[in-house]
Amino acid sequence: MARIAGVNLPNQKRLEIGLTYIYGIGPSTARKVAAELGLSPDTKVRDLTDAEVTQLQRYIDGELEVEGDLRRERQQAIKRLQEIGSYRGVRHRRGLPVHGQRTKTNARSRKGPKKTVGRGKKAAPK
């Protein structure tokens, strides 16, 4: 099992798909990396030689910003928006959609499950 940028790539997947398991590498970047290094994107991860795995590690560590560094940078950008009190920062802080989507309906993935309001307590009989 190839380990790149702290992530174990699945052996049975094609290289192009396996690289997308690394945070910060999507399908187009995975194709670009394979082309840049002269590797076939259809090669299974288990069929890569040690030299090819080392070559991938060096390229990804040197050229791309992935995993921890990328996560940290994105978190700092969100924190900066919150500290300066921008509209986007406030939306992040409240857990609401940031990019102008409607919230009267939908937005359930950001807002969480519905919170129904009860009728209140019944008056005690006299």
Side-chain angles (χ1 to χ4, degrees):
M1 186 174 279
R3 187 171 176 82
I4 299 174
V7 176
N8 292 325
L9 302 185
N11 279 330
Q12 71 280 9
K13 303 273 187 188
R14 295 169 38 236
L15 176 63
E16 181 180 13
I17 303 302
L19 286 175
T20 63
Y21 280 64
I22 300 171
Y23 183 82
I25 297 182
S28 62
T29 307
R31 279 192 292 274
K32 189 186 90 175
V33 168
E36 193 91 13
L37 298 177
L39 301 172
S40 169
D42 298 324
T43 309
K44 299 279 187 184
V45 172
R46 66 172 171 257
D47 297 335
L48 292 174
T49 64
D50 290 336
E52 290 171 337
V53 171
T54 306
Q55 190 181 15
L56 271 168
Q57 284 174 332
R58 284 204 185 114
Y59 182 83
I60 289 172
D61 290 340
E63 302 293 321
L64 304 175
E65 191 166 351
V66 292
E67 282 301 323
D69 296 336
L70 182 59
R71 289 180 202 269
R72 196 173 313 106
E73 187 177 299
R74 292 185 71 185
Q75 281 304 115
Q76 287 173 343
I78 292 170
K79 186 182 276 186
R80 180 185 64 83
L81 290 171
Q82 289 175 349
E83 286 172 359
I84 64 175
S86 70
Y87 181 78
R88 281 173 53 204
V90 170
R91 302 298 282 184
H92 274 290
R93 191 176 306 130
R94 291 185 182 167
L96 293 169
V98 178
H99 295 291
Q101 298 92 330
R102 65 181 294 130
T103 56
K104 182 174 181 178
T105 61
N106 305 334
R108 280 289 140 219
S109 55
R110 280 295 291 187
K111 292 168 69 173
K114 286 186 178 176
K115 299 168 193 75
T116 55
V117 178
R119 201 180 118 226
K121 210 168 190 178
K122 280 188 178 178
K126 293 185 180 180

